[in-house]
């Protein structure tokens, strides 16, 4: 029996990922957050789904596959694994898309954040990676900064999203 979205508990509000705008919005609430799309990510996508933070096993496998399946997977950069590994593991777990959250290392989407790339130059990160690392990727893959202006932090945001707090503003 394959799980369907109805088999899952509702754990978060709906987020909308849009690669043409390179934004994430919370369904029904204005104020999109900027994201940086991976070069190997599918083009022209708009994904609207609940989110789930990924729980990793010792061997890099997704332990909470039932939570991740049919959702937007959210992972932290601090996992110490290559971005391609994170994205493909989430894809194998049935995620519809993945958001990789920086670990406060980055101030902007630039070469100090992901070496060799700058969003302001029109770069999409990962373009210089070997095709073999990303060849099987079929889900949208985006990167977000951990902190935004006005002290908005992804850690706080995720905590509120996962608690179904209806008062958050993206």
């Amino acid at each position: 029996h394959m799980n369907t979205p109805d088999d899952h508990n509702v754990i978060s509000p709906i987020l909308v990922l849009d690669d043409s705008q390179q934004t994430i919005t919370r369904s029904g609430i204005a104020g999109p957050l900027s994201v940086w799309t991976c070069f190997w990510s599918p083009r022209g996508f708009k994904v609207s789904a609940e989110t789930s933070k990924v729980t990793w096993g010792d061997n890099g496998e997704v332990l909470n596959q039932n939570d991740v399946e049919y959702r937007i997977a959210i992972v932290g950069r601090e996992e110490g694994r290559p971005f391609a590994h994170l994205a493909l593991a989430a894809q194998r777990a049935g995620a519809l898309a993945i958001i990789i959250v920086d670990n406060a290392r980055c101030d902007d989407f630039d070469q100090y954040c992901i070496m060799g790339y700058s969003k302001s130059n029109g770069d999409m990160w990962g373009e210089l990676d070997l095709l073999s690392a990303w060849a099987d990727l079929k889900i949208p893959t985006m990167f977000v900064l951990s902190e935004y202006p006005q002290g908005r932090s992804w850690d706080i945001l995720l905590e509120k999203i996962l608690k179904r707090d209806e008062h958050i503003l993206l």
Side-chain angles (χ1 to χ4, degrees):
H1 158 70
M2 187 166 146
N3 286 340
T4 64
D6 295 336
D7 293 336
H8 299 291
N9 294 323
V10 174
I11 61 167
S12 75
I14 304 295
L15 292 187
V16 180
L17 278 57
D18 183 335
D19 86 320
S20 63
Q21 302 295 315
Q22 293 204 67
T23 58
I24 297 173
T25 50
R26 165 120 176 254
S27 184
I29 295 179
L33 291 176
S34 291
V35 298
W36 197 5
T37 304
C38 176
F39 175 79
W40 303 101
S41 187
R43 298 289 193 272
F45 65 80
K46 195 166 189 177
V47 178
S48 180
E50 293 177 330
T51 60
S52 180
K53 197 166 183 180
V54 172
T55 303
W56 295 105
D58 293 338
N59 298 318
E61 73 278 19
V62 175
L63 294 181
N64 60 332
Q65 180 171 344
N66 283 346
D67 293 335
V68 171
E69 192 174 27
Y70 301 113
R71 292 201 171 93
I72 298 168
I74 299 178
V75 303
R77 182 181 196 162
E78 66 277 4
E79 303 297 343
R81 296 184 177 94
F83 289 159
H85 173 90
L86 300 176
L88 291 168
Q91 177 176 289
R92 283 191 299 275
L96 300 178
I98 182 171
I99 299 170
I100 301 169
V101 182
D102 183 49
N103 56 1
R105 171 173 137 183
C106 303
D107 294 323
D108 201 357
F109 296 124
D110 59 20
Q111 64 182 347
Y112 301 106
C113 182
I114 301 178
M115 195 181 308
Y117 308 103
S118 175
K119 184 178 176 184
S120 63
N121 291 343
D123 299 337
M124 298 175 94
W125 60 270
E127 186 172 357
L128 302 176
D129 292 358
L130 292 175
L131 168 62
S132 58
W134 293 97
D136 295 328
L137 184 73
K138 294 177 177 56
I139 63 170
T141 302
M142 298 179 137
F143 181 82
V144 298
L145 300 177
S146 61
E147 298 200 8
Y148 283 85
Q150 294 86 45
R152 290 184 288 182
S153 159
W154 261 90
D155 288 338
I156 295 166
L157 197 62
L158 286 178
E159 191 177 306
K160 289 183 176 185
I161 285 170
L162 295 175
K163 287 182 179 172
R164 288 190 257 167
D165 185 334
E166 295 302 320
H167 303 291
I168 66 165
L169 289 176
L170 286 187

